[in-house]
Amino acid sequence: AALVVFALSASSFAAGSKTRLILSPIADQAVPEGGKMKAEGITEALRTSLKDALFKTGKFVLIADSDLQKDLDSERYNQYLSGDFDPTQAAAIGRKVGAQVLVRCSVITNQMSAKVKDFILYKETEFTMQLSVAVEICDIEKTTICFMHTASTEQKTKSKEISLDDGKGSQKPISLSNAGDVRVKAVNEIVKELAAKIGANAAREKGKGSVISVKGGGKTDDAIVVDIGSSAGA
């Protein structure tokens, strides 16, 4: 075993137990087939829901876009916002804000279809949504892609009431609280799977050593001596 001395405040020591993660904007690379329509706003809904799911795991500190904007030049930040950039740039982007992991997602299938059935007193619409999202986890310290996965789902819903048309020939905005919306059902299924995969493959394990001694009461520059152990690479 080896002894390692850290000069830390108590708050920074606690914050270091969670993986600092960047969830980049999601790129939509899908092209609907067979005359099917594309769900509008799906990338924003996915990212909002996935951020919430990752935060609730308690394993991650999510880096805000505003923090990245402060530290990146405009060209690199705009490239980051596009969600479509060379993953080798993850290290350069992440190190600016002290991130350990960058997660990139791309929508590869995004298509809906609707069938209307006429009954005597009403019409019933069956919506079908097919959604597939590929995820890459980039290890910023090692500058490598350490995990890849594609999540896919097909969701259906029938309703006399729900319509995706806003009455002006456009789709209604996605509301994640509307569980009857076939787009939301698809997003929820994808996010459930992606959050589990990211949680299992992106979170850093806490150190398995022990605190030997603490000098001071947890103020800045107080010393914490930790026995990390050779099994952790010390």
Side-chain angles (χ1 to χ4, degrees):
L3 294 180
V4 181
V5 178
F6 295 95
L8 299 170
S9 67
S11 60
S12 64
F13 189 77
S17 64
K18 295 183 179 182
T19 302
R20 290 177 60 82
L21 180 145
I22 297 172
L23 177 62
S24 68
I26 297 174
D28 190 349
Q29 301 173 349
V31 178
E33 300 175 349
K36 295 181 180 179
M37 55 185 166
K38 197 170 187 175
E40 299 171 3
I42 203 75
T43 56
E44 294 83 358
L46 279 167
R47 192 173 186 228
T48 297
S49 183
L50 187 53
K51 275 186 174 182
D52 184 60
L54 292 175
F55 176 78
K56 286 179 179 177
T57 66
K59 298 179 179 181
F60 303 104
V61 173
L62 299 176
I63 307 298
D65 287 347
S66 56
D67 291 335
L68 281 163
Q69 188 174 17
K70 292 175 185 176
D71 290 305
L72 298 177
D73 58 65
S74 58
E75 181 179 355
R76 184 165 287 174
Y77 183 68
N78 288 332
Q79 188 182 42
Y80 161 79
L81 285 181
S82 72
D84 184 19
F85 60 93
D86 188 334
T88 59
Q89 300 226 8
I93 291 172
R95 285 170 182 164
K96 289 281 187 179
V97 290
Q100 297 162 298
V101 171
L102 185 142
V103 175
R104 300 173 69 240
C105 296
S106 298
V107 176
I108 55 179
T109 304
N110 170 11
Q111 56 189 28
M112 292 191 302
S113 60
K115 292 182 180 180
V116 179
K117 294 182 179 180
D118 285 314
F119 294 91
I120 296 175
L121 299 177
Y122 65 91
K123 291 182 178 182
E124 183 179 78
T125 304
E126 180 184 72
F127 294 100
T128 301
M129 174 74 187
Q130 294 172 312
L131 186 62
S132 298
V133 181
V135 63
E136 294 178 346
I137 299 177
C138 306
D139 187 309
I140 289 170
E141 294 176 359
K142 297 179 181 178
T143 64
T144 57
I145 296 175
C146 58
F147 180 78
M148 300 176 72
H149 178 73
T150 299
S152 300
T153 188
E154 179 177 287
Q155 295 294 319
K156 296 178 181 287
T157 185
K158 294 181 180 179
S159 178
K160 305 171 191 176
E161 307 292 337
I162 297 172
S163 171
L164 300 182
D165 194 323
D166 65 357
K168 300 177 182 179
S170 300
Q171 292 178 27
K172 291 180 180 178
I174 297 176
S175 171
L176 291 171
S177 62
N178 184 2
D181 188 328
V182 70
R183 299 169 298 178
V184 174
K185 291 178 69 175
V187 165
N188 288 342
E189 284 299 306
I190 291 291
V191 166
K192 181 180 178 181
E193 183 173 342
L194 290 184
K197 295 293 184 181
I198 295 169
N201 293 279
R204 304 298 180 89
E205 291 187 16
K206 297 180 181 180
K208 296 182 179 180
S210 57
V211 175
I212 302 300
S213 66
V214 178
K215 175 186 175 183
K219 298 178 181 179
T220 301
D221 296 330
D222 288 345
I224 303 171
V225 181
V226 183
D227 178 0
I228 294 178
S230 57
S231 62

